[in-house]
């Protein structure tokens, strides 16, 4: 795990197309703004399944067996 310190208004870039900005810091609570393409799923940890794994990406429908 990479741990970074950021001040209000500072940004963290992940790859070229994901940006996380510290939007607000108030009474021990940090608000983050996340800019990412719509096809990048973003989940809060408490909404993930209990096993801690993110939901699998949608799989294409199975192809019928060759005859």
């Amino acid at each position: 795990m990479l741990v970074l310190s950021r001040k209000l208004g500072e940004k963290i870039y992940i790859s070229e197309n994901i940006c996380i900005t510290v939007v607000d810091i108030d009474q021990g609570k940090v608000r983050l703004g996340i800019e990412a393409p719509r096809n990048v799923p973003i989940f809060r940890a408490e909404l993930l399944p209990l096993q801690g794994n993110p939901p699998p990406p949608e799989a294409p429908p199975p192809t019928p067996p060759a005859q």
Side-chain angles (χ1 to χ4, degrees), residues 11-31:
K11 300 175 182 284
I12 297 170
Y13 284 91
I14 301 173
S15 187
E16 294 178 2
N17 58 354
I18 300 173
C19 178
I20 300 173
T21 305
V22 179
V23 177
D24 188 29
I25 304 170
D26 186 32
Q27 298 179 3
K29 182 190 263 187
V30 178
R31 295 183 67 204

Side-chain angles (χ1 to χ4, degrees), residues 29 42-55:
K29 182 190 263 187
I42 301 171
F43 300 101
R44 296 188 329 227
E46 65 271 17
L47 300 179
L48 293 176
L50 291 178
Q51 63 268 28
N53 296 326

Side-chain angles (χ1 to χ4, degrees), residues 58-64:
E58 288 187 27
T63 55

